[in-house]
Amino acid sequence: METSNLKKAGLKVTLPRMKILEILEQSETRHLTAEAIYRELLDSGEEIGLATVYRVLTQFEAAGLVCRLHLEGNQAVFELERGGHHDHIVCNQCGRVEEFYDETIEQRQQRIAADHGFSIRDHALVLYGDCSDESCPRRPAS
Amino acid sequence: METSNLKKAGLKVTLPRMKILEILEQSETRHLTAEAIYRELLDSGEEIGLATVYRVLTQFEAAGLVCRLHLEGNQAVFELERGGHHDHIVCNQCGRVEEFYDETIEQRQQRIAADHGFSIRDHALVLYGDCSDESCPRRPAS
DNA sequence: ATGTATGCAAAACATTTGCACCTGG
DNA sequence: CCAGGTGCAAATGTTTTGCATACAT
């Protein structure tokens, strides 16, 4: 029962929080903007304000339940924290987001930071390109 | 004469554009926000609007004279394009930005993208950590 | 001259916040 | 019951845009 995650995080189990968690868990797109979540709530007939969505997501982030990514757009996207750290590849055309993890890159980052006298606390690596998905709106030689 | 860069880019050589280019060239902090540039202009006694700063920077970016980075803050920073691609390390405490380039990481990125069926067009890698600079406001065991 | 740039003010946009009301434990 | 959560509207901060004026070529 995922309400335990909320309790563990010291958050009251309220309807908006449960619904938002549910959407994050069930969405096939693992990366959602606050507005996308808001729209899904509205579509489900829930009367939850956008401000609440932002507040809840911010609390989730602080509690480590969710992480917030700033992909090149202006809107942040939120992703359920499922444990394994990873970085992202984004398709410039269709916006699809894929995840990857590369041990070599992780190690090089540590090395580089040390060489520059930094102790790394976090990092953000996003690759932007064109995917080869069938449904990608990118057409050959437009 | 750096006005040639402007002409080459198909941009009229105007006072705001020259001044902004000058600030980007001469600033010791190679990474500046639009507002920082705006303030420097005001300090130099120039009557240039913030909107113009944004417009000019956007044009410079399109012309490849400048690149725009979205570091974790809310403001974008702009950096004169000096040729060599590089990524960034940012100090969480003092905001200092350092640059690095790592061939191994670059290669791994290509490989990873290919494995996922993407052709990379661009990427953003930012490391966040604590620097060991004397003047860094981070105090030991605060 | 004439098309492009600029300054200003207002708009746009994502996100946050103040406040009165509601709700979970 | 009561601290904390929520909805709404208004504020915020950054970046963009409309429009009349000014400027470079």
Side-chain angles (χ1 to χ4, degrees):
Chain A
M1 193 161 266
E2 64 283 299
T3 64
S4 58
N5 297 345
L6 289 176
K7 286 193 188 126
K8 238 182 293 176
L11 297 169
K12 266 187 195 167
V13 179
T14 64
L15 190 133
R17 285 175 182 159
M18 279 169 48
K19 283 291 171 192
I20 290 171
L21 206 46
E22 205 174 285
I23 286 172
L24 286 164
E25 279 165 347
Q26 296 176 356
S27 168
E28 55 204 44
T29 308
R30 283 168 58 148
H31 306 83
L32 295 165
T33 63
E35 281 227 31
I37 293 171
Y38 176 57
R39 279 197 305 275
E40 282 210 36
L41 288 168
L42 294 189
D43 291 351
S44 320
E46 301 297 337
E47 299 253 319
I48 295 178
L50 180 56
T52 299
V53 175
Y54 275 107
R55 269 187 294 234
V56 167
L57 287 170
T58 301
Q59 293 158 345
F60 282 6
E61 186 189 19
L65 296 175
V66 144
C67 59
R68 184 191 303 241
L69 304 177
H70 297 277
L71 310 179
E72 279 281 301
N74 2 343
Q75 278 153 271
V77 300
F78 297 85
E79 162 185 19
L80 200 59
E81 180 57 75
R82 286 170 157 92
H85 160 74
H86 55 258
D87 294 302
H88 298 87
I89 314 182
V90 183
C91 178
N92 286 326
Q93 255 67 36
C94 65
R96 204 153 57 86
V97 179
E98 297 217 2
E99 303 173 354
F100 71 90
Y101 176 82
D102 186 81
E103 186 56 31
T104 305
I105 289 181
E106 300 291 325
Q107 286 175 7
R108 294 295 298 177
Q109 287 177 356
Q110 288 299 329
R111 159 75 61 85
I112 290 160
D115 289 350
H116 286 255
F118 278 68
S119 62
I120 289 291
R121 188 160 289 178
D122 191 15
H123 69 98
L125 170 54
V126 186
L127 310 182
Y128 298 94
D130 295 323
C131 81
S132 50
D133 198 62
E134 291 300 321
S135 59
C136 184
R138 163 175 54 94
R139 274 142 306 197
S142 67
Chain B
M1 192 159 264
E2 64 283 298
T3 63
S4 58
N5 297 344
L6 290 175
K7 287 194 189 125
K8 238 183 295 178
L11 296 169
K12 268 187 196 170
V13 179
T14 64
L15 190 134
R17 286 177 182 157
M18 279 170 48
K19 284 291 173 193
I20 290 171
L21 205 45
E22 205 175 285
I23 286 173
L24 286 165
E25 279 166 347
Q26 296 178 355
S27 169
E28 56 203 45
T29 307
R30 282 169 57 147
H31 306 83
L32 296 165
T33 63
E35 281 227 31
I37 294 171
Y38 176 58
R39 281 196 305 273
E40 283 209 37
L41 288 168
L42 294 188
D43 292 352
S44 321
E46 301 296 338
E47 301 251 318
I48 295 177
L50 180 56
T52 299
V53 175
Y54 275 107
R55 268 188 294 233
V56 167
L57 287 170
T58 301
Q59 293 159 344
F60 282 6
E61 186 189 19
L65 296 175
V66 145
C67 59
R68 183 192 304 241
L69 304 178
H70 298 277
L71 311 179
E72 279 281 302
N74 359 346
Q75 279 153 271
V77 300
F78 297 84
E79 162 187 19
L80 200 59
E81 181 56 75
R82 285 170 159 91
H85 161 73
H86 55 259
D87 293 303
H88 297 88
I89 314 181
V90 183
C91 178
N92 286 327
Q93 256 66 35
C94 66
R96 203 152 58 87
V97 179
E98 297 216 2
E99 303 173 354
F100 70 89
Y101 177 82
D102 186 81
E103 186 56 31
T104 305
I105 289 181
E106 300 291 325
Q107 285 173 7
R108 295 295 298 177
Q109 288 178 356
Q110 288 299 329
R111 159 76 61 85
I112 290 160
D115 288 351
H116 286 255
F118 278 69
S119 60
I120 289 293
R121 186 160 291 178
D122 192 16
H123 69 98
L125 170 53
V126 186
L127 309 181
Y128 298 94
D130 295 323
C131 82
S132 50
D133 197 63
E134 292 300 323
S135 59
C136 184
R138 162 174 55 93
R139 274 141 309 201
S142 70

